[in-house]
Amino acid sequence: MTTDTPARLLQLLSLLQTPREWPGGELAERLGVSRRTVRRDVDRLRELGYPVQASKGADGGYRLIAGKAMPPLVLDDEEAVAIAVGLRAGAGHAVEGVDEASVRALAKLEQVLPGRLRHRVSVLQAATTPLTSGDGASIAPETLTVMASAVAGRERLRFAYRAADGTESRRLTEPYRLVSTGQRWYLVAYDLDRGDWRTFRVDRVSEPFATGARFAPREMPTGSAAEYLRQSMWGRQVTYDVSVSFAAPAEQVAVELPGWLGAPEPVDAGSCRVRATVGDALDWLAFRLAVLGFEFTVEGPEELVRCVRELGARLSRAAG
């Protein structure tokens, strides 16, 4: 029997967060208390903002339903480890759809994980190898969580950085946002030594350290970190206006199409077209188009047409 009321409430909440209806008698048996105590504890949870729904009947049941706000979750050891491993796996590679919110969640979870669970997470991650596509580089999740915490806490961040030409430097920054492009993670920050905004590839960052010194956020010159990164990247590379038509309905193509290419425009009921401005990674774009599973025609530019032809020729040779 759990006589400590706060501990009993946490145990009850953990049970109710399982997606099922719990009969009052079963909850009372699990907690070692009377059904009347269960009813009182349910009322306390409701007062704390947890939307607990009760059903009528000979042995009325309880379930936690979706409310207007996200209440705190209570996780047991196995659940916490499973979530942390999943978030670490996603954070270590800039997977499309895994953005800064996932990294913030990982930072919050790892901050409160007991040492024994943190060790289990590390062991599990070391023993698994994720299957990823593209040329996105692997990143230590600890690097991302330190950076995400500095962004959220508005703390100045120090780190070692290796530029594209191999030059090593130490940077002191005011981190603004982490941005995922679907292939890589980038940090958008104000570089205090250079006196200007900069973007940093996170896979080239090492030894990140939040200094504890707070700062007031500066105004981003482009309005958003994603737009600043886009302009920064495209300012350093050749860009192409791409046009590709698909022999499939727009709604079907939209499900498989990478988000960074934008939404397909319907041509008729059975075809659509995609127009986008992309960087110079046309080989990668040719591959992504080929694996979508739809018949397509590259209308331009000629450079992408050549990439598709060369990819097709290599695949034909590989098939003998």
Side-chain angles (χ1 to χ4, degrees):
M1 174 178 177
T2 305
T3 57
D4 180 45
T5 300
R8 190 177 65 248
L9 285 176
L10 287 174
Q11 187 178 353
L12 173 60
L13 183 56
S14 179
L15 293 172
L16 290 175
Q17 285 177 341
T18 303
R20 55 162 289 193
E21 181 168 287
W22 288 86
E26 186 175 349
L27 287 175
E29 183 179 349
R30 287 284 194 111
L31 299 173
V33 296
S34 67
R35 297 189 186 191
R36 182 179 178 183
T37 299
V38 169
R39 290 195 294 271
R40 287 203 304 264
D41 287 348
V42 166
D43 288 338
R44 291 190 181 99
L45 289 179
R46 288 170 177 160
E47 291 171 1
L48 293 172
Y50 292 94
V52 182
Q53 185 181 66
S55 61
K56 298 179 180 179
D59 193 10
Y62 301 93
R63 69 166 58 241
L64 194 66
I65 62 173
K68 294 181 179 179
M70 177 71 180
L73 292 175
V74 177
L75 304 172
D76 62 27
D77 286 4
E78 299 301 325
E79 293 166 341
V81 169
I83 292 174
V85 170
L87 288 172
R88 275 173 162 249
H93 301 266
V95 180
E96 190 170 347
V98 180
D99 55 17
E100 186 193 348
S102 301
V103 179
R104 291 201 310 270
L106 177 59
K108 290 178 180 179
L109 182 57
E110 294 208 333
Q111 181 179 358
V112 296
L113 275 181
R116 69 182 191 283
L117 298 186
R118 194 175 294 113
H119 175 70
R120 286 176 60 186
V121 170
S122 298
V123 169
L124 275 172
Q125 188 180 32
T128 58
T129 300
L131 178 62
T132 59
S133 60
D135 60 351
S138 297
I139 303 166
E142 292 82 1
T143 297
L144 279 173
T145 54
V146 168
M147 299 175 97
S149 296
V151 169
R154 297 176 180 175
E155 290 185 60
R156 289 181 175 176
L157 183 71
R158 288 188 183 275
F159 53 84
Y161 191 69
R162 175 179 50 81
D165 62 3
T167 303
E168 303 278 352
S169 62
R170 300 288 302 183
R171 302 297 183 97
L172 177 61
T173 66
E174 294 176 352
Y176 186 78
R177 286 289 187 276
L178 283 165
V179 181
S180 169
T181 65
Q183 294 178 325
R184 293 189 177 92
W185 283 101
Y186 290 84
L187 173 70
V188 176
Y190 189 84
D191 191 321
L192 292 169
D193 295 324
R194 275 71 175 174
D196 200 1
W197 291 93
R198 291 287 189 272
T199 61
F200 303 93
R201 269 180 50 174
V202 176
D203 58 294
R204 294 176 179 166
V205 169
S206 60
E207 304 172 39
F209 172 71
T211 65
R214 307 285 179 175
F215 65 88
R218 302 171 189 264
E219 184 177 355
M220 173 62 59
T222 57
S224 75
E227 177 61 19
Y228 181 82
L229 175 63
R230 186 188 69 83
Q231 293 184 13
S232 176
M233 293 175 66
W234 287 3
R236 298 193 300 265
Q237 63 183 205
V238 177
T239 59
Y240 299 92
D241 293 324
V242 168
S243 179
V244 181
S245 61
F246 293 90
E251 58 270 18
Q252 292 183 16
V253 174
V255 174
E256 304 294 335
L257 197 70
W260 46 270
L261 279 176
E265 306 166 358
V267 174
D268 53 40
S271 64
C272 62
R273 177 175 287 109
V274 172
R275 293 188 177 95
T277 301
V278 303
D280 57 2
L282 294 183
D283 287 340
W284 167 245
L285 178 56
F287 169 76
R288 289 294 281 119
L289 292 172
V291 299
L292 289 180
F294 305 109
E295 294 292 327
F296 68 94
T297 301
V298 176
E299 300 170 339
E302 183 59 32
E303 291 85 352
L304 180 57
V305 173
R306 288 199 300 269
C307 288
V308 171
R309 285 174 179 164
E310 291 170 2
L311 175 61
R314 287 200 301 272
L315 294 175
S316 296
R317 291 193 298 272

